[in-house]
Amino acid sequence: MISLDQVHVLEKKVESAVSKIVELKNENIALKNRISILEKENAELNSKVSVFEKEQNRVEEGILSVLNRLDVVEDTVSSSVSAADIAPISDNLAAETEPAEMDIRIHEEEPATDAAADSSEESDTENVAEDSFSPKTSENGQFDIF
């Protein structure tokens, strides 16, 4: 025979199973809602990707078009410039670089008079060189770009 205690235990197990089933059904509904939301987001992202791919193709075509135009301009310029035009330009460039080389040689040939004076002159020239390449700051601490 089945006792009353066994029936109570069976009722508790059935109630537990029913509550678990209800909980799982609610979770299933929530997951289905989440799936539909994710599918919508996925569709939106896919459409954005296709738009980006189309735009990328247009950008690539534009870049190729500009590069082709640049090639045409370079070809036109190179065919219009003759060797006679290039020679004076290279002579001018060579003449402009010679004085700088002479200045270097002059500084290299200067005799050393006093070790302390040389070190102070070197530090002064280093400071001047650093100052000429570093941005100037005004009194308020902002960089002066002009």
Side-chain angles (χ1 to χ4, degrees):
M1 268 216 194
I2 298 178
S3 70
L4 188 60
D5 289 333
Q6 290 175 339
V7 171
H8 286 299
V9 171
L10 184 60
E11 281 180 5
K12 286 183 181 179
K13 286 185 180 183
V14 169
E15 288 174 6
S16 174
V18 168
S19 66
K20 188 67 173 176
I21 289 171
V22 169
E23 181 183 321
L24 290 173
K25 283 184 179 183
N26 291 335
E27 185 179 347
N28 190 15
I29 292 170
L31 289 173
K32 285 182 180 180
N33 290 336
R34 181 73 178 145
I35 286 173
S36 67
I37 292 170
L38 290 175
E39 286 175 345
K40 288 177 186 176
E41 289 177 2
N42 190 21
E44 289 174 9
L45 291 175
N46 284 334
S47 66
K48 285 182 180 180
V49 165
S50 66
V51 168
F52 286 138
E53 287 175 348
K54 289 176 185 176
E55 288 178 2
Q56 181 182 2
N57 289 335
R58 287 186 17 217
V59 167
E60 287 175 1
E61 289 172 1
I63 290 172
L64 290 175
S65 172
V66 169
L67 288 174
N68 288 334
R69 287 183 188 173
L70 182 62
D71 287 342
V72 169
V73 169
E74 285 179 346
D75 292 343
T76 305
V77 169
S78 65
S79 66
S80 67
V81 175
S82 65
D85 293 337
I86 295 174
I89 293 171
S90 63
D91 291 341
N92 288 340
L93 289 175
E96 290 175 2
T97 58
E98 288 176 11
E101 292 172 1
M102 290 177 63
D103 289 342
I104 293 171
R105 284 187 227 126
I106 290 170
H107 291 295
E108 290 174 353
E109 294 174 5
E110 288 182 13
T113 56
D114 185 15
D118 286 342
S119 66
S120 67
E121 288 177 4
E122 289 175 5
S123 66
D124 289 343
T125 57
E126 290 174 1
N127 289 340
V128 170
E130 290 175 2
D131 288 343
S132 65
F133 294 111
S134 63
K136 306 290 184 209
T137 56
S138 64
E139 295 174 6
N140 62 1
Q142 295 181 349
F143 288 107
D144 184 12
I145 59 171
F146 299 103

